[in-house]
Amino acid sequence: MTEAQTHDLVPEAPEPPTDEAPQRRTRWGRRLVLGIFAVVVGLGVLVSTTERGREAVLSAVLDRARGALLGELRVASMRGAGFWSGATFIGVALDAEGGRRVLDADSVEIRFSLLDLLRGAPPVRSTTVWGLDVEISRYSVDETSNVARIVPARRAGAPAPAPLALGRITVHDGRLAVLSPARAGSSAPTVIGPDGQDLRNLTLEGVALQLR
């Protein structure tokens, strides 16, 4: 028997079987994650582009903000810029505890990134305010200012709250008024307070600024 015939009689070694199950599970897992992500995005687009959806989003945002405030936050309406980019809040007003006015704004536009939120980075990229009117007031020497009565005082030993990241802040056509008890004989401009007392009035008009 020749060498070639002998070689033909020797069975070839079978190739080792390949386990494709883990690969299939990985592919299906990726498809499932992408499918869930697509559904979430689709729902977000649907919610943010319908009137009822915008009302639901606005209500959720206000409820969360009010839970952290002593005062009252009011927003007349919300205009969605798109699920991926942000929203504009129209007719914003904030009062301190007891109803003391703190600020009003014609509109506040917040631009954010959903991808940054998913990565754990600060999601808000910029905050732009039009027609901001801020009042810092203290009507008597014995009371605290209104801005000190916006959020609850931190309890002893409690961790410091996380800073509110608003991204790049831009203010157009702002106004700042600081009201405090007037000293006798002072030549500073004054206004009459709610109880008839004289209040020193320091007002800056046409404020425009950018903060990073």
Side-chain angles (χ1 to χ4, degrees):
M1 183 176 296
T2 64
E3 182 179 351
Q5 292 173 329
T6 304
H7 182 271
D8 292 338
L9 295 177
V10 177
E12 294 183 359
E15 295 182 0
T18 58
D19 187 3
E20 295 184 355
Q23 298 178 5
R24 285 197 298 269
R25 286 195 295 268
T26 300
R27 287 195 297 268
W28 278 108
R30 291 174 181 172
R31 292 173 184 173
L32 179 61
V33 171
L34 291 175
I36 294 174
F37 184 73
V39 170
V40 171
V41 171
L43 290 175
V45 172
L46 178 63
V47 166
S48 63
T49 55
T50 63
E51 184 66 27
R52 183 171 297 180
R54 284 193 292 269
E55 290 177 359
V57 172
L58 177 58
S59 177
V61 171
L62 292 180
D63 287 345
R64 183 171 181 179
R66 287 165 179 161
L69 296 173
L70 287 175
E72 182 181 2
L73 175 65
R74 301 182 300 280
V75 177
S77 62
M78 186 188 88
R79 184 171 64 245
F83 182 65
W84 295 98
S85 55
T88 301
F89 300 94
I90 310 297
V92 179
L94 175 63
D95 296 336
E97 183 183 28
R100 181 79 62 83
R101 174 178 172 272
V102 177
L103 67 83
D104 301 289
D106 294 338
S107 64
V108 179
E109 180 185 80
I110 297 177
R111 294 287 179 176
F112 60 83
S113 168
L114 179 62
L115 295 179
D116 286 344
L117 178 62
L118 294 176
R119 291 198 301 261
V124 178
R125 293 184 173 181
S126 66
T127 302
T128 305
V129 186
W130 282 272
L132 178 64
D133 191 350
V134 178
E135 180 181 294
I136 302 174
S137 60
R138 184 168 59 91
Y139 292 165
S140 70
V141 295
D142 298 325
E143 74 170 10
T144 57
S145 68
N146 59 343
V147 294
R149 290 181 279 123
I150 297 175
V151 296
R154 183 160 58 98
R155 298 188 303 271
L164 182 61
L166 297 176
R168 185 180 67 253
I169 301 174
T170 305
V171 175
H172 299 284
D173 192 23
R175 175 182 177 272
L176 172 63
V178 181
L179 304 178
S180 60
R183 295 180 180 178
S186 173
S187 59
T190 60
V191 295
I192 304 299
D195 296 327
Q197 72 275 49
D198 288 336
L199 298 175
R200 182 185 179 187
N201 179 24
L202 173 61
T203 300
L204 299 176
E205 302 278 359
V207 176
L209 57 85
Q210 279 194 347
L211 300 174
R212 291 182 180 271

